[in-house]
Structures are given as structure tokens and as C-alpha cells.
Amino acid sequence: MGDHKEVQEILGAYPRDPRHLLAALQDIQAEYKYLSIESMKEVARYLGVSESQVFSVATFYKALSLVPLGKKVIKVCAGTACHLRGAPRLVEAVEDALGIRDGETTEDGQFTLQTVNCVGACAMAPVVVVNERVYGKMGIADIPGMIETERKDEAGE
Ligand code: FES
């Protein structure tokens, strides 16, 4: 319920007028990185608009996300074998390439970066897993190509 209160605080900066709908949603998105169902209901109640209207605005704008994770979750293995073979540098390379930190999602909702425990492919260390796809023996020079591949993959679906 802590979230609940903070959404109220964000909304409190706006007069109760439907024309502030988009701005309020953007503020909540900026704070939480996504719009929960509960937060959208709060917005509807506060601004006096229907929940379906809030939902349609939230789904129309690409910068707004209803889910906390990106479409592709990039998991960099931080297990011992991967760590010893340079996983921390891979994390940095992904952070630099996407402009996000570990645990964050890109603004377009495309990618989320996570570090995870051993994914069970130590022979291929260091390992990066993007959704179900496993990239083994990764070097920092491979990161841009991997991201490019995943972007194209998404576009082609
Ligand atoms: S430590 Fe990375 S796959 Fe096992």
C-alpha cells in the first residue's frame, strides 16, 4: 500500500481535471517504470475520467508501460564461472548500450536488464540469456551485435 500513497502524492500536484491525464500518467511511469492497474484506477478516480479512458491512453503511448518488464529480458549470469570470465564487464556493456542500469527497463519497454544466478550453462561462461535464447562465451565486443539481433527479432515478429 506504500505505492498507493505515493501515487496519490504524484496526483496531488495536479488539479482534478481530465486534461492532466497524460501528464499524470507520465509522472507515474517515471516514478515506477510502469503503470499498475491500481495506479491507473487511482488516476481515473482522481481526475474523474473513466478507467477505460485511462487504459486507452496508457496503451496508446509507447513511452507508457503496463508491465514492469521489457519485452526482452536480458539476463547476464553473475554466477561464479561467469563472474570469473568477465560477467561484470558484460553488465556494464549492456548498461552502456541501452542507457539503463541493472534491474531497469528501457523507456521504450523493449529491454530489461537483470543479473541472475548461475543459469546452468557454465561450460559456455560467460553467459547471457535473452528471454529463452542463450548466448555463450560472450565478450563485451559481442554485446552490440546481440542487442541488434534481438531488436531485429522483435521487429520481425
Ligand atoms: S555461472 Fe554462469 S552459467 Fe553457471
Side-chain angles (χ1 to χ4, degrees), residues 6-157:
E6 289 188 28
V7 168
Q8 282 293 339
E9 283 172 15
I10 292 167
L11 289 171
Y14 292 95
R16 288 178 176 253
D17 186 320
R19 72 196 158 93
H20 299 296
L21 175 55
L22 179 57
L25 291 177
Q26 285 171 325
D27 282 0
I28 294 166
Q29 169 85 34
E31 183 73 22
Y32 294 99
K33 310 300 179 209
Y34 83 111
L35 302 169
S36 67
I37 297 293
E38 188 52 41
S39 68
M40 288 191 287
K41 286 182 174 177
E42 281 296 308
V43 171
R45 272 196 293 273
Y46 183 83
L47 295 179
V49 299
S50 69
E51 289 179 9
S52 65
Q53 197 178 342
V54 175
F55 190 79
S56 70
V57 169
T59 50
F60 180 80
Y61 289 94
K62 286 210 159 50
L64 299 174
S65 173
L66 305 193
V67 290
L69 297 180
K71 289 182 189 148
K72 301 265 174 135
V73 179
I74 299 175
K75 295 178 180 167
V76 180
C77 179
T80 305
C82 291
H83 186 90
L84 291 176
R85 295 201 183 132
R89 287 165 63 219
L90 293 180
V91 174
E92 286 173 14
V94 176
E95 287 178 338
D96 289 349
L98 296 178
I100 56 174
R101 312 294 294 173
D102 181 19
E104 291 181 348
T105 299
T106 53
E107 260 184 39
D108 62 5
Q110 201 71 19
F111 295 109
T112 297
L113 171 62
Q114 295 177 342
T115 50
V116 296
N117 293 327
C118 178
V119 295
C122 304
M124 295 165 66
V127 176
V128 178
V129 181
V130 184
N131 288 5
E132 303 307 317
R133 188 178 288 136
V134 178
Y135 293 84
K137 298 194 188 300
M138 290 293 281
I140 51 173
D142 300 318
I143 295 297
M146 178 196 80
I147 290 170
E148 195 55 35
T149 299
E150 294 297 334
R151 272 197 209 285
K152 283 199 190 122
D153 179 48
E154 183 63 31
E157 276 173 5

